Amino acid sequence: MPDSDAAEPPDDEPTDPSVADRARHVLSENGTGMLQDLLFALVWVGLASALYNVAFSTAPQWVLYMFMLAGIPAYFGFFISLEMAKERSAR
């Protein structure tokens, strides 16, 4: 017996958006922030790896892990200070 109370989606909206549609939607809403996050991560990992390989080449492996973990507070510190600078310049 069909359920007559079930709402049918409009014809112009797909019932199940594809992965590409969902990715396009997420990128359109958060594209700039995601790009900034990706760039920060790439630069941080590159700098931490270079520092570990050049300056601390004889250090144990856990030093590299500590450099990588230091990226978490560095990320938040960088973007919080960036927001503060934007607010200060808008005044």
Side-chain angles (χ1 to χ4, degrees):
M1 187 155 101
D3 188 8
S4 60
D5 293 336
E8 292 186 24
D11 291 335
D12 60 341
E13 292 183 22
T15 57
D16 189 24
S18 68
V19 174
D21 291 336
R22 285 183 277 171
R24 194 175 301 114
H25 177 71
V26 168
L27 285 174
S28 68
E29 289 182 354
N30 306 312
T32 305
M34 291 172 70
L35 182 62
Q36 290 173 347
D37 294 347
L38 178 65
L39 284 173
F40 184 88
L42 291 174
V43 168
W44 185 265
V45 169
L47 287 174
S49 296
L51 185 62
Y52 176 74
N53 289 333
V54 174
F56 297 98
S57 59
T58 59
Q61 185 77 28
W62 62 265
V63 173
L64 174 63
Y65 299 143
M66 291 297 113
F67 283 144
M68 295 299 174
L69 280 175
I72 297 169
Y75 169 84
F76 287 106
F78 176 74
F79 283 105
I80 289 171
S81 67
L82 187 62
E83 285 296 319
M84 291 171 58
K86 286 180 182 178
E87 288 176 6
R88 191 172 293 165
S89 67
R91 291 183 194 172

